[in-house]
Amino acid sequence: LAKTTQPISMDSYEGQEVNITCSHNNIATNDYITWYQQFPSQGPRFIIQGYKTKVTNEVASLFIPADRKSSTLSLPRVSLSDTAVYYCLVGKMDSSYKLIFGSGTRLLVRP
Amino acid sequence: DAGVIQSPRHEVTEMGQEVTLRCKPISGHDYLFWYRQTMMRGLELLIYFNNNVPIDDSGMPEDRFSAKMPNASFSTLKIQPSEPRDSAVYFCASSLYNPGDSGPQHFGDGTRLSIL
């Protein structure tokens, strides 16, 4: 059961790069790592997903070391609108396991 | 493209009343999920369907909760009778594949339920 551990909260300033690390020591061989973003009064929104090394899209980058026991979501040059809760999920749904959102990391971007 | 559509957006009702929440998933998606979010418990998975069949309902709090998916384009979550502790935001999500198998869940805007 690949549980995840993230910081409860982080503060940053506009224009800075933000890195949020998620620990998942028990990740299974076939597990993907997925990150979601949630704004108040909205449902979570998919940001990025990866299996190993590095994945980049127009929003963020995901860095995964070789042992895959952790991953880092990198948000370049954050703005006030990036203030949200960020969730790291590992694994997939099957008869014995459910993806769990956990508490997430509450990111506050200050002017 | 239309996303996941939930209705109503807000529901206020009195304790003991029946509440029905509705969800239309994204066309073609094989998986549908119902979540509940509260400050105390965070985002909890209640039940999920694959090809209209309930796969795991272990997150459903008690017998007062029931969910159905009569066809690929519609699902309901029903609470009968409702209680104040059921007050929460209920989200529906859908996905094309198993969400851990490469592919995201797409969430609706949620239904904010208040039981008085």
Side-chain angles (χ1 to χ4, degrees), chain A residues 12-28:
Chain A
S12 183
Y13 291 92
E14 280 192 293
Q16 289 188 332
E17 178 183 77
V18 171
N19 296 307
I20 305 174
T21 297
C22 178
S23 297
H24 28 80
N25 291 320
N26 296 323
I27 188 169

Side-chain angles (χ1 to χ4, degrees), chain A residues 37-110:
Chain A
Q37 173 192 57
Q38 185 177 25
F39 298 114
S41 303
Q42 294 186 24
R45 185 180 71 167
F46 171 83
I47 301 176
I48 198 166
Q49 185 179 63
Y51 182 75
K52 62 180 180 179
T53 63
K54 177 184 175 183
V55 180
T56 297
N57 61 24
E58 64 277 7
V59 176
S61 294
L62 179 60
F63 297 92
I64 305 169
D67 66 6
R68 303 199 331 121
K69 292 181 183 288
S70 67
S71 58
T72 299
L73 174 72
S74 181
L75 305 172
R77 297 182 298 281
V78 294
S79 64
L80 298 178
S81 63
D82 292 316
T83 292
V85 179
Y86 292 82
Y87 298 95
C88 165
L89 280 71
V90 171
K92 64 180 181 182
M93 304 277 196
D94 62 27
S95 59
S96 61
Y97 182 69
K98 294 181 291 191
L99 285 174
I100 298 174
F101 272 78
S103 302
T105 298
R106 191 171 298 273
L107 174 66
L108 174 62
V109 180
R110 303 177 187 273

Side-chain angles (χ1 to χ4, degrees), chain B residues 9-109:
Chain B
R9 289 298 313 278
H10 302 275
E11 175 90 12
V12 181
T13 191
E14 292 188 346
M15 181 176 65
Q17 297 297 307
E18 178 179 288
V19 174
T20 299
L21 310 182
R22 297 172 175 80
C23 175
K24 177 179 170 57
I26 294 173
S27 177
H29 280 193
D30 289 337
Y31 289 82
L32 183 138
F33 310 85
W34 282 101
Y35 289 87
R36 177 174 68 176
Q37 187 169 38
T38 61
M39 288 295 293
M40 290 296 295
R41 301 176 68 90
L43 197 60
E44 302 174 277
L45 177 66
L46 300 178
I47 185 171
Y48 78 97
F49 296 82
N50 182 19
N51 292 321
N52 312 339
V53 176
I55 302 301
D56 188 334
D57 65 354
S58 61
M60 296 286 261
E62 47 197 275
D63 292 344
R64 297 184 297 106
F65 285 69
S66 62
K68 295 182 179 180
M69 192 165 185
N71 57 62
S73 60
F74 184 66
S75 177
T76 60
L77 178 66
K78 188 171 295 187
I79 308 173
Q80 167 62 22
S82 59
E83 296 183 3
R85 59 192 168 123
D86 301 330
S87 298
V89 181
Y90 290 81
F91 289 105
C92 176
S94 71
S95 66
L96 184 58
Y97 305 112
N98 186 312
D101 260 345
S102 180
Q105 296 178 67
H106 298 266
F107 284 77
D109 290 331

